[in-house]
Amino acid sequence: MYEDKKLVCKECGEEFIFTAGEQEFYAERGFQNEPQRCKACRDARKNASRAQREMFTATCASCGGEAKVPFEPRNDRPVYCSDCFAKMKG
């Protein structure tokens, strides 16, 4: 029913493929306009509007290494680096 279409990104000017699957998805959702930006430009635009999180540095309670966390560490709670936190969860 749908066929892949070549479109030109209005942001970077590069050609991109609007796949048959994407067209079907758009139709199911009731979207009437085709995408105007390629995936890379859509992602960049989406990320630009997000506020950058302030990161705090702490010492990992498990390995003693540096841990960067998106919250201000308190002395009454342990903080773990990404690796140690993943090991604890898994």
Side-chain angles (χ1 to χ4, degrees):
M1 183 173 177
Y2 296 101
E3 291 183 21
D4 291 357
K5 288 184 183 180
K6 281 187 182 179
L7 301 177
V8 177
C9 177
K10 80 175 197 177
E11 196 82 24
C12 67
E14 296 291 320
E15 280 190 352
F16 67 97
I17 304 295
F18 185 34
T19 67
E22 290 171 327
Q23 292 174 51
E24 189 174 347
F25 174 82
Y26 272 53
E28 287 173 1
R29 299 292 188 278
F31 301 147
Q32 295 182 352
N33 298 324
E34 295 177 340
Q36 296 185 6
R37 292 177 180 82
C38 64
K39 174 95 169 98
C41 289
R42 284 195 313 262
D43 290 345
R45 187 176 168 96
K46 199 181 303 180
N47 290 334
S49 66
R50 282 192 189 139
Q52 291 292 324
R53 282 182 143 182
E54 183 179 359
M55 298 298 277
F56 298 89
T57 303
T59 302
C60 176
S62 181
C63 71
E66 183 179 282
K68 293 213 179 265
V69 293
F71 56 88
E72 191 164 6
R74 300 188 328 221
N75 291 332
D76 63 332
R77 310 254 342 216
V79 175
Y80 301 99
C81 66
S82 299
D83 292 336
C84 291
F85 186 74
K87 287 176 192 172
M88 291 173 53
K89 278 188 93 170

